[in-house]
Amino acid sequence: MDVNSLASLLPDGTLVTDPDILAGYRQDRALDPDAGTPLALVRPTGTEQVATVLKWAHGNRVPVIPRGAGTGLSGGATAQDGALLLSTERMRAITVDPITRTAVAQPGLLNAEVKRAVAEHGLWYPPDPSSFEICSIGGNAATNAGGLCCVKYGVTTDYVLGMEVVLADGTVVRLGGPRLKDSAGLSLTKLFVGSEGTLGVITELTLRLLPAQPPQSTVVATFSTLTAATEAILEITGRLRPSMLEFMDAVAINAVEDELRMGLDRDAAALLVGRSDAPGEYAVREAEIMVHACEKAGATEVFSTEDPEEGEAFAAARRFAIPAVERRGTLLLEDVGVPLPRLGELVTGVAEIARRREVLVSVIAHAGDGNTHPLIVHDPNDPDETARANQAFGEIMRLAITLGGTITGEHGVGRLKKAWLPDQLGPDVMALTRRIKDALDPHGILNPGAVL
């Protein structure tokens, strides 16, 4: 396909065909080994240019792979042979309205940049993936990203009030808006959040904001067994809704300690970091409840602090867990989730899979909402170990489904997990999903191979 006709419709420099540049966009952070060779890369700066690209692609039946910052962990932005890569990285405008407590942001802004922009007005955008400093707000919407504070504050979809989205044929539609309550028509905004670029390209988001988060009290506890840690999690969540409740296993603890040298207990089987941002003295009271729950479950050590810098250091340690473990080898990273009462079965089940397949698996988790991240470590130059790692990858997803859970709590299905999606959803829901996809993208040009 000759892309010169598309290049002529766009500003100079918007369309790129240089192979060296394209090579840097072929994969997202999932490092999908099946990434193809794209036809070209398009980097628009606004909705009109995105519409031009999709009209051209629709008319010429050229696949389009939408892409944000490339931090996705499920292969949702993997390049395909002969497809256009549409990067939103140059779409970076934002306006903040303190009166309605909303922000209108283009998708190329990083999550951290949105947080900083709204903080200048005394406001807060809560969803906080561990990669918030490098992931884009558009990618967050595409995968319905979560994060550490979601146990109390919810995920991305809870903060998207409206959007502008370009459909497969180049039609531009505006959905929702800066209204906290709106029951007019079908909830189409929710349909596009989490759709992973398979239904349209989001070019603008209207985000709900909250007043700045109050100071937090932090509780850190270590445990000699995984069972004790999961018992503490259930005791805490049965009593209150913390602003954070995070879990790290022994592998993650030691990987983080290797890098940060902050005095973590290397002999612990598990570590919990809980936080409360309840107003005034209630934060201290909630911290006391968490301390008691951990002691009741048999914690080997419990530490509580109201010092914001000290508390943030432990939260930062948890955020650093994935890159720390990644230094031990290539990762197959999952984000399976289960109902909280089944969390213990999931964690111990993953440990059994790791033992049986003879691979290193570290489990970290947003424990307060049952969303875990098993990190399967392997050497890609060892075919046998890689095969065992891939077997473990599938077995962990099947375990989550058996426990009434999900194959993805916040990273999306992408290409790496789609083989297990029918087992979770069932044939009727898969057929309904396909009908929606076909209605909005009849030629199947939007992110082919992802999700379905």
Side-chain angles (χ1 to χ4, degrees), residues 96 98 113-124:
V96 182
E113 292 174 323
V114 171
K115 289 183 185 297
R116 287 196 292 268
V118 305
E120 293 178 3
H121 300 269
L123 299 170
W124 177 43

Side-chain angles (χ1 to χ4, degrees), residues 287-302:
E288 291 173 349
I289 291 173
M290 287 190 277
V291 167
H292 177 72
C294 293
E295 291 174 341
K296 180 180 176 181
T300 55
E301 183 179 3
V302 184

Side-chain angles (χ1 to χ4, degrees), residues 13 105 126 183 194 215 219 240 248 288 291 310 331 396 398 407 431 446 448:
S183 296
V219 173
L240 56 89
M248 294 164 56
E288 291 173 349
V291 167
E310 198 169 30
L331 298 186
I396 289 171
R398 284 191 288 272
I407 62 173
L446 285 176

Side-chain angles (χ1 to χ4, degrees), residues 148-154 159 241-244 276-279 286:
L148 279 68
C149 74
C150 295
V151 57
K152 181 172 183 178
Y153 289 100
Y159 296 87
R241 183 175 290 179
S243 57
M244 179 188 297
S276 170
D277 63 358
E286 288 193 350

Side-chain angles (χ1 to χ4, degrees), residues 15 63 65-66 68 103 113 123 159 171 193 228 233 267 280 325 330 370 387 422 439:
L15 188 141
I65 312 296
E113 292 174 323
L123 299 170
Y159 296 87
T171 300
V193 177
I233 292 165
D267 296 324
V325 174
T330 297

